[in-house]
Amino acid sequence: MTFADAPPRLTRLTFHGPLSEARAARMVARVAGALRAAERPTVLDLGCGWGELTLRLLAAVPTATAVGVDLNEEDLERGRALARARGLADRVEFASESATDTARGPADVVLCLSSGHALCPADAAPPYTAGALRALRRLVRPGGRVVLGEGFWQRTPTAAELAAMWPDARTDEHLYLGDLTDAAVAAGFRPEWVETASDEEWEEFEAAYLADVEVWLAANPSHPRAARARERADRHRAIWLRGYRRVLGTAYLTLVPVD
Ligand SMILES: C[S@@+](CC[C@H](N)C(=O)[O-])C[C@H]1O[C@@H](n2cnc3c(N)ncnc32)[C@H](O)[C@@H]1O
């Protein structure tokens, strides 16, 4: 039996959200124009994790620079290593700091992918969307673009589904897609593109989220860390399969700030 030091974490994910290669490529192509039009193009990635989409934007626009901010040092270090491997390290800073009330920006492209909560104070009441959108409007330059990846209810969850979700899940935690898009308009944007993650993107994401831990657990059932890893994986899988699968969606809004 192999006793590895720790279960692997998120090694099977390319993006930390339900986002396919094809959709990511379309997003990069869509917002790259706003970067190319800027004199000194900048990207700001809020709650960046390892910043995969930001790195792809930098690869597409060689004059651009970027800052990603996050609180997870392990993910930031993964971003720095990816940047070094792709020859992008001199154009990106992965900063270990909170995105809440950030002093960074404004930028020509602002990304906030599955991290709208990072823009709101810890004591803010859900839904966080309006507060996040206000912050994003302040952080984007005229003529720029915001890409917001945000949860929305595909339909109202049943009581049983809500009970099976994360602790204290509430129906007022998310908006419906129309209301989410209206909230973006109310915050001072026009929606250039409204798209939603498919079932296939969700299933790819959720499977990849747990796959490396599941394979490790099968090989290391008696490891001192196995009980906790097994409990966490089983809990996450139940929350997904019995709770939010096909109920919670992810919308990707490409937003243009109104002058
Ligand atoms: C679901 S992940 C998305 C990561 C990345 N945007 C992506 O799409 O790959 C959410 C991220 O938000 C970060 N986060 C949470 N609160 C934050 C805060 N106050 N400031 C900065 N990042 C935060 C987490 O550490 C995590 O990396």
Side-chain angles (χ1 to χ4, degrees):
M1 186 184 304
T2 307
F3 280 87
D5 278 338
R9 179 179 168 271
L10 308 184
T11 64
R12 304 276 283 268
L13 288 177
T14 304
F15 302 97
H16 197 164
L19 179 59
S20 64
E21 288 288 341
R23 193 185 307 283
R26 290 195 297 270
M27 280 178 182
V28 167
R30 194 175 302 131
V31 303
L35 287 176
R36 293 194 186 102
E39 203 173 320
R40 277 199 292 274
T42 53
V43 179
L44 179 60
D45 191 343
L46 300 161
C48 62
W50 54 88
E52 180 63 34
L53 203 70
T54 283
L55 295 174
R56 292 182 185 206
L57 277 170
L58 293 183
V61 184
T63 52
T65 60
V67 174
V69 304
D70 204 290
L71 296 171
N72 187 312
E73 189 51 45
E74 187 180 337
D75 289 350
L76 290 166
E77 194 44 47
R78 177 170 167 179
R80 293 180 194 116
L82 288 171
R84 282 194 296 276
R86 298 178 198 178
L88 300 169
D90 57 340
R91 292 198 282 133
V92 60
E93 178 188 359
F94 281 97
S96 180
E97 61 190 43
S98 177
T100 310
D101 297 325
T102 182
R104 304 276 184 172
D108 300 295
V109 169
V110 182
L111 304 180
C112 183
L113 301 174
S114 306
S115 45
H117 55 288
L119 300 185
C120 298
D123 59 352
Y128 307 107
T129 321
L133 282 161
R134 273 196 302 277
L136 291 167
R137 181 65 188 80
R138 179 175 62 76
L139 291 168
V140 65
R141 286 208 184 103
R145 295 289 185 276
V146 166
V147 183
L148 173 67
E150 181 66 19
F152 71 97
W153 292 132
Q154 302 190 46
R155 60 169 172 77
T156 307
T158 64
E161 286 164 343
L162 209 56
M165 292 183 195
W166 49 90
D168 304 324
R170 300 159 44 162
T171 47
D172 64 358
E173 237 170 282
H174 296 287
L175 302 175
Y176 297 100
L177 184 58
D179 299 327
L180 172 60
T181 310
D182 286 352
V185 171
F189 293 103
R190 299 304 301 178
E192 180 184 3
W193 218 266
V194 177
E195 56 195 318
T196 62
S198 65
D199 285 351
E200 186 178 338
E201 284 169 297
W202 267 103
E203 288 178 358
E204 280 281 317
F205 169 58
E206 293 291 345
Y209 186 83
L210 290 181
D212 51 6
V213 171
E214 295 291 12
V215 171
W216 180 89
L217 281 169
N220 299 279
S222 310
H223 190 284
R225 297 195 186 195
R228 181 159 161 72
R230 193 180 304 111
E231 189 270 320
R232 288 177 62 150
D234 289 347
R235 179 157 33 96
H236 183 92
R237 194 178 54 257
I239 290 172
W240 155 238
L241 293 177
R242 300 179 196 283
Y244 61 88
R245 181 171 180 265
R246 294 192 169 160
V247 181
L248 180 67
T250 289
Y252 294 106
L253 308 186
T254 302
L255 301 171
V256 192
V258 177
D259 286 343

